Amino acid sequence: MTKILYVMEGEIEDRFILQMQRMKKLSLGRRIKFNLMQREIKHSDNIMTAKYDKVACILDTDESGPHELVKLQHNIKMLKQIAKSGILIMAQRYNFEDELKRMSGNNRLNEILNLKKSGLKDVKKFLAQDVEYSVLKNVDLSKYICKTNEFYEKIKACGISFSKNVKFITSMEECK
């Protein structure tokens, strides 16, 4: 069985990845919360303690200026040390909430999630719980992370490149 590590920014993505694993849309694997564009990985960090066949990085791209992209480049280089067959980059369109809007074709998160309150704080609090994504109406989960070209072009425009064993994926199927 392939040993995989999922690295994501926060609780909402962690809960989503867990649900996708339960629904067998993603391979089982260890999940670690670490913001790859805000902090730099050090050799002594917990994330560096084991080897994996693959490392899948779930990224928010809403704050991805040159400074953040340099941190990402450093972190990908560090993660290559623990990934035998490569790094998979799953770039969300801005953040998870925007991905959810895109997957549903609806910009009103309260409608998508059947919430009475529509504030972003309420939505984030709800999404940090164990949401049963399979029962959400009009949400096409297969569309998750299917638009990474924008982010990839931004990285190239900043003069940042990655080796051939770093792959920007556009489908959860590629994480199986």
Side-chain angles (χ1 to χ4, degrees):
M1 179 152 86
T2 302
K3 191 173 175 185
I4 188 165
L5 171 68
Y6 295 92
V7 182
M8 73 276 312
E9 180 177 317
E11 190 68 32
I12 293 170
E13 289 86 359
D14 184 41
R15 298 291 185 163
F16 179 73
I17 296 301
L18 178 61
Q19 279 292 317
M20 295 304 100
Q21 289 174 330
R22 287 178 182 161
M23 294 167 60
K24 297 185 175 27
K25 292 186 179 288
L26 287 174
S27 295
L28 294 178
R30 183 174 177 210
R31 301 177 326 278
I32 291 181
K33 290 179 272 180
F34 190 97
N35 190 326
L36 293 168
M37 292 205 284
Q38 299 296 319
R39 294 177 41 208
E40 287 191 352
I41 297 173
K42 299 177 189 104
H43 288 285
S44 59
D45 285 339
N46 188 28
I47 200 168
M48 299 296 291
T49 60
K51 298 277 187 193
Y52 298 90
D53 295 310
K54 297 180 198 174
V55 176
C57 304
I58 297 94
L59 304 175
D60 280 1
T61 61
D62 51 353
E63 294 182 32
S64 57
H67 185 68
E68 289 82 10
L69 295 177
V70 168
K71 283 184 183 175
L72 176 63
Q73 185 178 36
H74 164 82
N75 289 333
I76 296 299
K77 186 177 181 181
M78 293 293 288
L79 290 172
K80 282 185 197 176
Q81 296 174 33
I82 62 168
K84 294 176 190 171
S85 63
I87 308 286
L88 304 173
I89 296 182
M90 302 166 73
Q92 297 181 135
R93 186 163 196 273
Y94 306 124
N95 56 37
F96 183 79
E97 295 82 1
D98 284 304
E99 275 292 308
L100 192 54
K101 290 176 190 176
R102 196 179 51 68
M103 288 187 290
S104 70
N106 185 344
N107 282 330
R108 295 189 182 114
L109 289 169
N110 61 318
E111 289 178 12
I112 299 166
L113 301 170
N114 199 23
L115 297 175
K116 292 180 180 161
K117 295 181 181 181
S118 62
L120 188 56
K121 192 174 184 178
D122 299 310
V123 168
K124 285 186 176 285
K125 184 178 178 181
F126 178 80
L127 290 172
Q129 302 172 34
D130 268 332
V131 176
E132 188 63 51
Y133 288 96
S134 63
V135 300
L136 292 179
K137 295 178 183 172
N138 302 318
V139 175
D140 184 354
L141 297 172
S142 69
K143 289 184 179 179
Y144 181 64
I145 62 133
C146 74
K147 287 197 164 200
T148 61
N149 289 343
E150 268 178 48
F151 183 64
Y152 182 70
E153 293 302 320
K154 187 175 191 175
I155 287 173
K156 281 182 14 183
C158 286
I160 293 174
S161 62
F162 298 108
S163 67
K164 62 183 177 184
N165 62 346
V166 176
K167 184 177 180 188
F168 285 77
I169 63 172
T170 57
S171 164
M172 284 191 292
E173 287 293 316
E174 295 178 72
C175 266
K176 285 190 169 184

